[in-house]
Structures are given as structure tokens and as C-alpha cells.
Amino acid sequence: METVQKVLEWLHLSDRVEPLTPSLLLGVVLLVVCILANMLTKTIILRWVHRLVRKTKFIWDDLLMERGVFARLSHLVPGFMLYYGALLFPHEEFAGWLQRFALAYI
């Protein structure tokens, strides 16, 4: 944290950016969590669903897998995390903007 403060002072931005630092850190953490959730959903859960689909005798689930429906559904996880994670931000205007972005992503 001190390194960030020193860089901001060197750039003469410490007075303007310092109140936003907790929100910026929260945003970075939320972004990393959403990316990890997306990767986890795509690798582990889709692999599990693919195995399950291959074991069934139904044709419609094979068609859904071929069309990528389950892969598209996996985008819901980071979208919901972003939507509800926006409530953690202290600035209501930014939280509302972030929630609208999450809804557009979903």
C-alpha cells in the first residue's frame, strides 16, 4: 500500500485518488474473483456436464452441448457475481452503473 501511495505522490495524484483507493482495490478483487469464477465454471463444471451428457441416452442434451448452450450458460456465474458484488461499493452511482453493466453482460 505504501508503494502505491508513493507512486501517487510522485504523479501528484495522491489528493485526488486517495479517497478512491479502497474502491479501486475492491474493484480489482471483484474482477479477479469474476475471472476465476468464469475459468472454474468453464473448466470444471462444463467438463462435468459434458461427461453427464455423454452418459445419457437422450438426443436433446447432446444437441444442446453441440450448440454451446451450456458454455453460454456458464457466463451467468461471473455476471451474477459482478451484479451482487457491486453492492459492496460505497458509491451508489458507481454500484448502479456496475449492476447495469452486469445485467447487459448476462
Side-chain angles (χ1 to χ4, degrees):
M1 193 67 171
E2 289 179 19
T3 307
V4 173
Q5 184 65 30
K6 287 179 184 178
V7 170
L8 292 175
E9 287 175 3
W10 182 71
L11 294 172
H12 304 289
L13 296 174
S14 62
D15 296 336
R16 288 181 259 167
V17 178
E18 190 171 340
L20 298 176
T21 304
S23 294
L24 289 174
L25 290 176
L26 179 63
V28 169
V29 168
L30 184 61
L31 181 66
V32 168
V33 167
C34 287
I35 290 171
L36 289 175
N38 190 25
M39 290 171 42
L40 180 75
T41 305
K42 287 207 181 290
T43 56
I44 295 174
I45 295 176
L46 283 180
R47 195 174 297 159
W48 178 76
V49 168
H50 187 64
R51 278 191 222 138
L52 186 67
V53 165
R54 282 189 295 172
K55 290 181 181 180
T56 63
K57 296 179 182 179
F58 299 110
I59 297 172
W60 60 268
D61 58 354
D62 294 328
L63 293 174
L64 290 175
M65 186 59 109
E66 288 173 12
R67 299 283 183 175
V69 172
F70 298 116
R72 282 188 227 121
L73 283 175
S74 70
H75 290 292
L76 292 174
V77 173
F80 283 130
M81 292 180 79
L82 185 62
Y83 182 83
Y84 289 108
L87 298 174
L88 299 172
F89 285 92
H91 307 290
E92 290 181 22
E93 183 178 328
F94 182 71
W97 179 84
L98 196 56
Q99 285 182 326
R100 286 190 297 273
F101 176 77
L103 287 175
Y105 177 77
I106 291 172

